[in-house]
Amino acid sequence: MAALAALFFALAPAAHADEMPANWTKPTKPYRVVGNIYYVGTEGISSWLITSSAGHVLLDGGPNAETGKLVERNITALGFQLADVKILINTHAHYDHAGGLAQLKADTGAKLWISRGDAPAMAAGHHIGDNIYGPTPMPAAKPDRSFGDQTKLKLGEIAMVSHLTPGHTIGCTSWTTAVVEKGRPLNVTFPCSLSVAGNVLVGNKTHRTIVVDYRASFAKLRAIPTDVMLPAHEEQGNLLAKRQKQLRGDPNAFVDPGELARFVDASEAAFNKELARQQAAGGAR
């Protein structure tokens, strides 16, 4: 139960940038995870680089312009060129994952792909949807392309698919791809966050279908075959511990076919608890 509580509260967006956890902006050494996927984020907030001979895709950009620059340094530290980042994608339009995208877009010249549900928030520079933390502003960035469910992203050897999993935000997007690690094919899922994180679940005027959306997203993610789960927050997948296992020589440090289901189960339990609390309170914020 303590771990579940930590999952719920740690992922609530801070009301102001100066309240964010220290590890959200703490530098960490980048590394290859599996196949052509690299971790290039901060210690606490994930950014994922997916590489190909035709250019690269970057998923999520951290909380602000400074972490966007940190992500850039991590990319170049791995030996890749910023100009080869051709497409920027996002799990969801909260500042802690989208706040660095404007800086990254300006510095790389990459095209920004945002789901249709989250495109207005990205363009406006703040979260959209009734939330006790308010709009949580972020640097605005104009999407070059908005998309829907099951959109295919192709770039060189990269083949990714979008899975709309709304709830956490209106346009929350999980991504899947397939890689080969030492001759072994692996299905990789980048799940969008599933926590309530301050969302109003009873009487949400901006996101009226929020409860139905959460429940559909839990079911959708459970149905996705996943060997490797790569989440948006370090603690969602114990990434630091897995990296240490990898450094000790474990070739399967990030491989866990049951992890996504456990993540969904924990998230759904926390959601049900918070929904019951809000219902008992009569929807009062």
Side-chain angles (χ1 to χ4, degrees), residues 32-240:
R32 190 179 72 85
V33 183
V34 290
N36 59 334
I37 299 172
Y38 297 80
Y39 188 88
V40 292
T42 65
E43 183 179 276
I45 297 287
S46 304
S47 292
W48 307 97
L49 184 71
I50 305 96
T51 64
S52 85
S53 59
H56 316 315
V57 174
L58 181 67
L59 172 57
D60 285 350
N64 51 38
E66 288 74 20
T67 54
K69 287 288 190 181
L70 187 154
V71 169
E72 292 174 5
R73 291 194 293 273
N74 280 346
I75 291 171
T76 57
L78 290 168
F80 299 109
Q81 302 298 313
L82 292 183
D84 289 331
V85 177
K86 302 300 184 184
I87 300 174
L88 301 174
I89 56 178
N90 183 225
T91 50
H92 60 287
H94 278 162
Y95 83 91
D96 47 336
H97 307 283
L101 292 175
Q103 186 70 52
L104 286 155
K105 188 175 192 288
D107 292 345
T108 64
K111 300 297 184 183
L112 178 61
W113 290 29
I114 301 291
S115 70
R116 282 193 286 270
D118 273 353
M122 195 72 246
H126 60 79
H127 168 248
I128 292 175
D130 295 350
N131 187 288
I132 63 173
Y133 298 102
T136 54
M138 60 187 169
K142 182 180 178 182
D144 297 290
R145 176 174 176 178
S146 59
F147 58 84
D149 195 34
Q150 296 294 307
T151 296
K152 294 178 174 58
L153 186 163
K154 291 277 292 178
L155 180 66
E157 300 81 36
I158 298 169
M160 302 184 72
V161 178
S162 70
H163 304 264
L164 297 189
T165 49
H168 191 74
T169 67
I170 296 171
C172 219
T173 307
S174 300
W175 293 89
T176 57
T177 191
V179 302
V180 176
E181 177 67 18
K182 296 182 178 178
R184 180 185 182 186
L186 295 170
N187 292 315
V188 179
T189 298
F190 304 89
C192 192
S193 291
L194 295 171
S195 64
V196 175
N199 280 330
V200 174
L201 302 178
V202 179
N204 192 312
K205 296 179 177 63
T206 314
H207 189 177
R208 295 183 183 276
T209 60
I210 189 167
V211 171
V212 172
D213 286 348
Y214 264 109
R215 295 203 185 285
S217 294
F218 297 143
K220 180 182 281 190
L221 278 169
R222 279 197 185 93
I224 297 175
T226 301
D227 301 302
V228 177
M229 185 188 88
L230 300 179
H233 284 263
E234 186 280 327
E235 66 270 18
Q236 289 177 335
N238 298 311
L239 298 177
L240 291 174

Side-chain angles (χ1 to χ4, degrees), residues 238-269:
N238 298 311
L239 298 177
L240 291 174
K242 289 175 182 173
R243 174 56 175 161
Q244 289 305 308
K245 287 175 65 177
Q246 186 184 55
L247 288 171
R248 292 194 295 269
D250 184 350
N252 297 310
F254 288 88
V255 179
D256 184 347
E259 185 171 26
L260 181 59
R262 295 195 303 274
F263 170 64
V264 174
D265 287 346
S267 300
E268 187 170 27

